[in-house]
Amino acid sequence: MATLSDIAVSAAINSLSAIVFLLAFAILRLQPINDRVYFPKWYLKGIRDSPTSSGTFVKKFVNLDVKMYLKFLNWMPAALRMPEPELIEHAGLDSAVYIRIYLLGLKIFCPITLLSFGVLVPVNYTGENFEELKANMKDLTYSDIDKLSISNVAPGSNRLYAHMVMCYVFTLWTFYALYNEYRIVTKMRMHFLAGERRRPDQFTVLVRNVPPDVDESVSEHVEHFFCVNHPDHYLSHQVVYNANALANMVATKKSLQNWLTYYTNKFERHPDRRPTTRTGFWGLWGQNVDAIDYYTEQIETLTKEEESERERVLNDPSAIVPAAFVSFKSRWGAAVCAQTQQANNPTVWITNWAPEPRDVYWENLAIPFVELNVRRLLMAVALFGLIFCFMVPIAFVQTLANIEGIEKVFPFLKPLIDMGSVKSLIQGYLPGIILKIFLILLPTVIMTMSKIEGFTALSALETRSAGKYHLFLLVNVFLGSIITGTALQQLKGFLNQSPTEIPKTVGVSIPMKATFFITYVMVDGWSGIAAEIFRMVPLIMYHLKNTFLVKTEKDREQAMDAGSLTWAVSEPRIQLYFLLGLVYSAVTPVLLPFIVVFFGFAYLVFRHQIINVYDQKYESGATFWPDVHRRIIIGLIISQFLFLGLLNTKNAANATYFMIPLPILTFWFFRFCKGRFESQFRRFPLEDAMKKDTLERATEPNLNLKVYLEDAYVHPVFKGSTEFEKPTVIDGEEDSPLVATKRIFQRDGKQEINEDDTSEDRIETYNGGSKAGP
Amino acid sequence: MATLSDIAVSAAINSLSAIVFLLAFAILRLQPINDRVYFPKWYLKGIRDSPTSSGTFVKKFVNLDVKMYLKFLNWMPAALRMPEPELIEHAGLDSAVYIRIYLLGLKIFCPITLLSFGVLVPVNYTGENFEELKANMKDLTYSDIDKLSISNVAPGSNRLYAHMVMCYVFTLWTFYALYNEYRIVTKMRMHFLAGERRRPDQFTVLVRNVPPDVDESVSEHVEHFFCVNHPDHYLSHQVVYNANALANMVATKKSLQNWLTYYTNKFERHPDRRPTTRTGFWGLWGQNVDAIDYYTEQIETLTKEEESERERVLNDPSAIVPAAFVSFKSRWGAAVCAQTQQANNPTVWITNWAPEPRDVYWENLAIPFVELNVRRLLMAVALFGLIFCFMVPIAFVQTLANIEGIEKVFPFLKPLIDMGSVKSLIQGYLPGIILKIFLILLPTVIMTMSKIEGFTALSALETRSAGKYHLFLLVNVFLGSIITGTALQQLKGFLNQSPTEIPKTVGVSIPMKATFFITYVMVDGWSGIAAEIFRMVPLIMYHLKNTFLVKTEKDREQAMDAGSLTWAVSEPRIQLYFLLGLVYSAVTPVLLPFIVVFFGFAYLVFRHQIINVYDQKYESGATFWPDVHRRIIIGLIISQFLFLGLLNTKNAANATYFMIPLPILTFWFFRFCKGRFESQFRRFPLEDAMKKDTLERATEPNLNLKVYLEDAYVHPVFKGSTEFEKPTVIDGEEDSPLVATKRIFQRDGKQEINEDDTSEDRIETYNGGSKAGP
């Protein structure tokens, strides 16, 4: 096992790599040329202009102000400066609540760390189990870290009572923090929903599985049904077209357009030589043709095809899927329809809240009930396979991709491979690289599985994918690191052990893996977060696009990739840190400071990112919080069982009787919180709907809701290609006046106002008040 | 192990005892004096009059018609004769669906029995495992039954494939039968609800946890809240009084009244001597007083107290609990309110469908949210204790109640006990009697637990109790019989075994327990059902009351105890037979005919009982069916796992891979059925509500709903003591004209109409059409 100094070295290396990332970020972001990579959020809000409009030519690309380099860490206090209500308005509730997860981590683990270091570390350190063992076995080696962990307490010692009591204290503190956070988030959500401006989804319900009718079209059938069953509230509806083929055409056309732009630019720069391309796949082979003519022609053909397809979809009744967006005259009417059962056959006329228009996943709107059930079954089996047989295809590819295999497929590489150093490189790194590739592909695979399951909103897809990924990390990373062997071998092992044996097996090897997880926290947590802020991939992509495709300011806007919080991947990863912290809190307290540093650093970085970078694709109003809460509770229960198993191997007196109420209490706490809060995230109370309706009726008595909702739920391809990626309807900023950028500097205590400086330590004071709708 | 002839003897004994019960029933029910014991349902419907009104004195009590004794089994075809729609109208949907559970048993097990006897019995019989074993071990004994079971197939034999395939066939057949039955019951329920006449609960929602308000009373607060949030639909509401003390007084008064009547009757019969009583507990000790004076005085005092309590409850604001029955102008309005969330805090303004007025459990209407959660936690722990420590208090009482203990407490019994025969009697039977007493008390204990859990309707209480009792039977009867030892020991054993080991342990002892369960089916099933129709306890109680208390016809009516289906006890017991049938279907097919006979016989008996005897306390519209379905599926999955365990001990080739899809498929089938049907039992679709509203508005445009609903949900004690047990509001019979009894005899082919004959093989032709409301 590693000693304290080993850990210190590892910490130094990882801190260094984190600092390198941070330094690179600090320097690159000061360059005006990277401004759109590191501050896209402000461009999207229309508050920041391109720095190219003023200043000398050099100044456009490189920042020459030396003073600013000296303050390269100033982004940290800047990130903390924006108060939470402003943050919610600026970045949305989802993002604001997302970074509260890190804050929750700090809230839970700071006191726990202090307590463990105050109580458990002294108890462990004076335990002298190793000294005794050493007296018996001369060759036993142990490190300082082990002396600080529970391993240094002798089996059956009364000192274990300290650990048991602390486990109760930690659990109760976690309860308190969780309950408090759930309460706050609920309040934030309620406040957010109450303050939200008018949005189409407040009035709209998604109706799926409209039953077929011989006499009526889908549209007529929907209208009749809702006119009869919601006579006082039904307003209008929008049928859903199966425009998947059309959407593909639009996407293809866009890509062709990019190529055309690329070759046009190339031609403009070198007017002496017309660029050519090959007609085959990716321009790699095939006939050599004039590129500009070729793509112009291709686009023309596609435009015609698109036109006819558009005609077909709009006129062919079979292109209408049996689903519709039904709008109501009031939020009350929509809330009622979304929460009740319409027909006595529960598999038809299924009503749910409509997602935001930009949140709709159009491909899945037309899946019938039985097919949906079969898909879920298949995906459940597939998920099981993915988690427990994850290593099988990797091992298979790894055996294929050995030296002999490569030499067989690419004989011309033989002489190169046979060189000693290359050979060892391939043998050493290839398996690792293959594993890494699989791991990178994994979120895509999981997302595809969720899509096959048939969810109709992007937010639902992300939530479900997060659940799957969480399970994967739990089994393949957490358990997989503690017990060596593939998940399938673990499963076999578990099935052949008794239920009381499993926590023992896992529990006993937990203290031994502490140093591994400390390193893991530093590599994946510290360096990973630093890499996050550096944004390498968007940086490269932006500059590539900027060089080859951008002609106008509008092109540059499109080349900018703000990205968004990848909920489906990040949240399960945070959960892993919660789990590690909870599991090791009573076992090896030394791990806790590393977790605390991770949470603090990540909070800082992500707060900066959501202020300056990310642009969320949709706004769910923190609907994900019950999942976060549930997964932390799962981690808590796992930690309790493992600790119980560990105690049993330590022959602790009465440990089972003393500890068994803990998971029961935890489960009860989960049920209690679920009953107390969850429905506020799932249903829309009539009281609130009525309040908003009444207020709106008083303030805007002449509102024509029908016109307002007319085009809200039209498939994006029918809105013209420019609006394809960003439908106008819901963009809350559109009617707020574009405010001239004003940045307030706080430099050495005095305040300056500067019109177009790109420095970073500033607060945007835009006219926030004008946007607070009813 | 028992041989076939042992089983035959046992079958003979049990058939004999069943036949004795049946004979006693057949004879006793022909006596006019028992008419109210065996046909109370008809009296309650007002269709049958007391036979005492005509005929000679002897004929009033004894039936002298010899011909009728010859046809003593005629009740059987008579029970089958009433068609199902008429049965639903006569006895309610709950009862009609309840007996369909037995029918479902027949549907599942008849084909399975035929198939097993056709395929598995020959396969097993020619297996010759025992012959081979016998060749090796001379002292091995085996019976004919064992030769017919899977035990006679050698380990690793290819014959086991027959069992595996049959297990699939049985499962698929069970799926088909279950799906079909769920579909039929759903249709019956929909039809029943659609045809139901106007009832107060269709318009009413039970609102609990009304938040306290400083300015308003509960009543005002409720009115304001619903006027604001359901402005177009709110009609009126009824607050709930905490009248538990008052209800107790009314009950006490009734019991005193009974004693007064008893002594008055006694005095009338012997006018020479005034009866006396003692003032102590149950009149056993205390001062000797004149009984009539004493009770008259007691009743007077209590009447005064009751009056003042009634005043207090009606005028004291603190006697109003924070719950209310809120009525709406239409079924649509009520359906909406019941299915939606009202306030943004989900722990206040909780709305649910109001139970029928007679179904309300008044005591539990005022429990706040947190208390409810704590109660559920405590009861969950208590249930665990009850199931797994059931034997502990029994063993404790059994040790206390030994000879020495009794001699110590009652020294005067010493000479009696020291007699040899009495001693052995006590030692032999006392433990058994104590166990029996505990088992008899068990349903009451379970029901009390459900009451503490805080459910607000009798139907919910019964459903939850059934769930608890089912678990108890599963652990203590099924597993307890297979693996000897108390449930706690079993639990310890299971916790220390691996999950794959448990099915093996249980599975391997299953074939050995077949003869035990065959005997169990005969004793508990056959004789138990025969005892059910005999109605010993009601018979005795009725005659006791009739002798001592009855003066008028109305008294006699009250002395009559029709009883009802004890859902919480009977349904879990039926589930045990399903479980046994499914577990043994592929293992020991010989058990199946006994199960089939049970289902057939029980179907017959209960059909007779619901036609002639039981009077249901409430009508839930077969809401319980999803539970029945779920528990049969649980039985199916248990049987599959046990069979898998058994196969593993048989070294069957690839058994695990072949059998593991089966439970997965079963679970999926469960989910599928749940999605397809369950919500039809839980929610009330708006389409149906709207249909009924529209129809009612067309047929009765001048209906004053407010007056109709005015007193519907008044606490029964405020309705006067006579109506206490049977509130008038919902009794569907009240407004149907009382039809003169007409009984059609079918005797030897010709039809007679007889006005007051008490013979049984008849069909009541009452004016059923007059009751079919809109």
Side-chain angles (χ1 to χ4, degrees), chain B residues 8-201:
Chain B
V9 170
S10 173
I13 293 170
N14 279 291
S15 308
L16 205 71
S17 78
I19 287 169
V20 167
F21 276 124
L22 288 181
L23 268 180
F25 162 70
I27 294 166
L28 287 177
R29 70 190 250 287
L30 292 182
Q31 314 311 324
I33 196 172
N34 295 327
D35 210 46
R36 276 181 184 273
V37 178
Y38 291 112
F39 302 96
K41 180 88 180 167
W42 300 101
Y43 284 94
L44 289 174
K45 295 215 119 180
I47 296 169
R48 192 158 178 146
D49 298 320
S50 276
T52 38
S53 49
S54 71
T56 66
F57 182 74
V58 177
K59 259 196 165 171
K60 273 185 200 172
F61 301 105
V62 186
N63 191 327
L64 298 175
D65 187 349
V66 183
K67 268 196 287 180
M68 289 181 58
Y69 287 100
L70 294 175
K71 301 175 179 294
F72 66 93
L73 278 181
N74 270 16
W75 64 269
M76 288 189 177
L80 293 178
R81 213 170 283 145
M82 189 182 270
E84 194 163 51
E86 204 177 324
L87 188 67
I88 294 173
E89 203 165 323
H90 174 74
L93 187 68
D94 278 346
S95 308
V97 171
Y98 177 81
I99 58 165
R100 282 192 78 95
I101 305 178
Y102 296 106
L103 206 60
L104 176 64
L106 288 177
K107 280 182 195 162
I108 291 179
F109 289 112
C110 281
I112 289 186
T113 308
L114 289 178
L115 261 177
S116 335
F117 272 78
V119 178
L120 293 184
V121 166
V123 169
N124 291 337
Y125 193 73
T126 56
E128 299 184 345
N129 187 29
F130 283 110
E131 312 253 318
E132 278 172 40
L133 289 175
K134 182 112 187 165
N136 297 327
M137 293 184 289
K138 289 289 169 205
D139 58 344
L140 183 86
T141 59
Y142 61 93
S143 71
D144 299 334
I145 289 197
D146 290 325
K147 280 194 75 173
L148 299 178
S149 91
I150 203 172
S151 311
N152 199 28
V153 179
S157 160
N158 277 336
R159 283 165 188 265
L160 290 172
Y161 279 112
H163 297 84
M164 290 191 238
V165 170
M166 288 318 279
C167 193
Y168 267 90
V169 172
F170 294 162
T171 301
L172 293 178
W173 171 253
T174 310
F175 283 179
Y176 170 76
L178 279 175
Y179 181 83
N180 213 24
E181 197 66 23
Y182 213 152
R183 196 176 52 76
I184 292 170
V185 172
T186 308
K187 209 184 262 173
M188 280 166 74
R189 177 178 159 86
M190 286 297 128
H191 187 251
F192 179 78
L193 292 181
E196 222 174 24
R197 60 178 54 219
R198 185 166 57 245
R199 293 196 332 190
D201 52 303

Side-chain angles (χ1 to χ4, degrees), chain A residues 751-771:
Chain A
Q751 234 182 32
E752 276 179 46
I753 292 182
N754 195 318
E755 201 59 31
D756 58 7
D757 198 317
T758 56
S759 175
E760 76 299 334
D761 47 353
R762 68 211 153 191
I763 307 167
E764 302 290 339
T765 56
Y766 52 90
N767 190 352
S770 77
K771 289 193 290 183

Side-chain angles (χ1 to χ4, degrees), chain B residues 295-425:
Chain B
Y295 281 109
T296 317
E297 193 190 323
Q298 289 270 313
I299 289 171
E300 263 172 32
T301 322
L302 200 61
T303 310
K304 270 180 209 148
E305 274 175 35
E306 194 192 307
E307 244 354 273
S308 72
E309 171 72 14
R310 198 179 291 266
E311 281 299 306
R312 190 193 68 77
V313 168
L314 286 175
N315 298 319
D316 182 6
S318 70
I320 295 177
V321 303
F325 290 94
V326 176
S327 297
F328 291 83
K329 286 178 190 149
S330 61
R331 291 172 184 86
W332 192 91
V336 160
C337 183
Q339 293 178 56
T340 50
Q341 187 181 338
Q342 309 306 313
N344 64 43
N345 179 348
T347 64
V348 297
W349 298 110
I350 299 171
T351 52
N352 289 103
W353 273 112
E356 267 189 282
R358 56 181 173 168
D359 189 12
V360 177
Y361 186 70
W362 296 91
E363 280 85 339
N364 276 347
L365 287 175
I367 305 170
F369 177 78
V370 177
E371 192 186 327
L372 209 64
N373 272 278
V374 174
R375 280 166 176 237
R376 299 245 160 110
L377 171 68
L378 292 179
M379 282 307 111
V381 173
L383 180 67
F384 182 87
L386 180 72
I387 289 176
F388 286 98
C389 309
F390 178 65
M391 292 308 290
V392 176
I394 296 176
F396 181 70
V397 174
Q398 281 170 344
T399 32
L400 277 191
N402 57 3
I403 302 279
E404 289 74 33
I406 295 174
E407 284 184 354
K408 223 172 175 179
V409 180
F410 305 104
F412 54 90
L413 289 177
K414 201 166 186 293
L416 183 76
I417 290 173
D418 282 346
M419 281 164 61
S421 58
V422 174
K423 196 166 185 171
S424 61
L425 198 78

Side-chain angles (χ1 to χ4, degrees), chain B residues 463-615:
Chain B
T463 315
R464 300 294 297 211
S465 301
K468 296 190 180 77
Y469 196 51
H470 177 239
L471 208 61
F472 181 88
L473 289 181
L474 211 62
V475 173
N476 278 299
V477 176
F478 179 68
L479 283 181
S481 305
I482 292 180
I483 310 161
T484 41
T486 67
L488 199 64
Q489 287 166 344
Q490 289 168 35
L491 184 71
K492 262 191 189 160
F494 286 155
L495 283 179
N496 291 316
Q497 279 177 329
S498 77
T500 48
E501 212 53 45
I502 296 168
K504 279 188 203 169
T505 319
V506 183
V508 81
S509 53
I510 277 184
M512 297 191 276
K513 293 288 175 178
T515 46
F516 167 77
F517 279 118
I518 290 176
T519 322
Y520 181 87
V521 170
M522 289 190 290
V523 174
D524 183 84
W526 298 10
S527 306
I529 296 293
E532 169 72 39
I533 202 170
F534 178 59
R535 283 173 68 73
M536 187 159 69
V537 176
L539 182 73
I540 295 168
M541 290 304 289
Y542 172 73
H543 284 299
L544 279 179
K545 282 186 185 167
N546 200 18
T547 315
F548 295 116
L549 295 177
V550 169
K551 275 194 298 189
T552 63
E553 271 301 294
K554 207 177 153 211
D555 291 348
R556 188 163 288 125
E557 187 118 339
Q558 292 213 344
M560 189 171 75
D561 174 24
S564 56
L565 287 170
T566 48
W567 168 258
V569 178
S570 330
E571 198 269 348
R573 286 199 183 144
I574 311 177
Q575 290 294 342
L576 194 63
Y577 293 96
F578 275 105
L579 178 66
L580 288 179
L582 291 168
V583 166
Y584 281 99
S585 58
V587 175
T588 312
V590 168
L591 187 123
L592 290 175
F594 294 89
I595 300 268
V596 169
V597 169
F598 162 76
F599 278 119
F601 183 44
Y603 175 69
L604 209 62
V605 166
F606 277 99
R607 208 170 204 275
H608 173 267
Q609 297 291 81
I610 66 167
I611 292 175
N612 295 306
V613 181
Y614 295 145
D615 178 51

Side-chain angles (χ1 to χ4, degrees), chain B residues 208-359:
Chain B
R208 279 176 305 155
N209 297 12
V210 176
D213 191 294
V214 280
D215 299 326
E216 295 181 311
S217 69
V218 171
S219 177
E220 286 165 345
H221 199 185
V222 170
E223 177 148 6
H224 289 172
F225 184 85
F226 284 93
C227 276
V228 168
N229 292 309
H230 296 267
D232 305 330
H233 307 284
Y234 169 76
L235 181 70
S236 65
H237 72 276
Q238 176 75 50
V239 293
V240 177
Y241 294 98
N242 185 350
N244 297 347
L246 190 58
N248 281 341
M249 284 179 187
V250 171
T252 317
K253 192 173 152 189
K254 208 178 157 218
S255 135
L256 290 174
Q257 208 98 43
N258 275 345
W259 281 111
L260 182 60
T261 318
Y262 168 72
Y263 285 114
T264 319
N265 284 0
K266 205 172 173 185
F267 183 57
E268 272 167 17
R269 268 172 230 153
H270 308 279
D272 48 333
R273 196 161 52 89
R274 273 188 85 81
T276 59
T277 185
R278 288 169 190 273
T279 53
F281 180 69
W282 273 18
L284 288 178
W285 51 71
Q287 209 189 336
N288 215 339
V289 291
D290 182 284
I292 298 178
D293 291 352
Y294 174 71
Y295 281 109
T296 317
E297 193 190 323
Q298 289 270 313
I299 289 171
E300 263 172 32
T301 322
L302 200 61
T303 310
K304 270 180 209 148
E305 274 175 35
E306 194 192 307
E307 244 354 273
S308 72
E309 171 72 14
R310 198 179 291 266
E311 281 299 306
R312 190 193 68 77
V313 168
L314 286 175
N315 298 319
D316 182 6
S318 70
I320 295 177
V321 303
F325 290 94
V326 176
S327 297
F328 291 83
K329 286 178 190 149
S330 61
R331 291 172 184 86
W332 192 91
V336 160
C337 183
Q339 293 178 56
T340 50
Q341 187 181 338
Q342 309 306 313
N344 64 43
N345 179 348
T347 64
V348 297
W349 298 110
I350 299 171
T351 52
N352 289 103
W353 273 112
E356 267 189 282
R358 56 181 173 168
D359 189 12

Side-chain angles (χ1 to χ4, degrees), chain B residues 427-459:
Chain B
Q427 278 172 331
Y429 281 91
L430 204 59
I433 289 170
I434 288 170
L435 176 63
K436 190 79 196 165
I437 289 173
F438 267 87
L439 281 174
I440 289 172
L441 289 178
L442 186 68
T444 320
V445 173
I446 286 178
M447 179 55 92
T448 312
M449 284 168 65
S450 300
K451 281 179 182 167
I452 294 173
E453 275 189 286
F455 297 99
T456 53
L458 297 176
S459 50

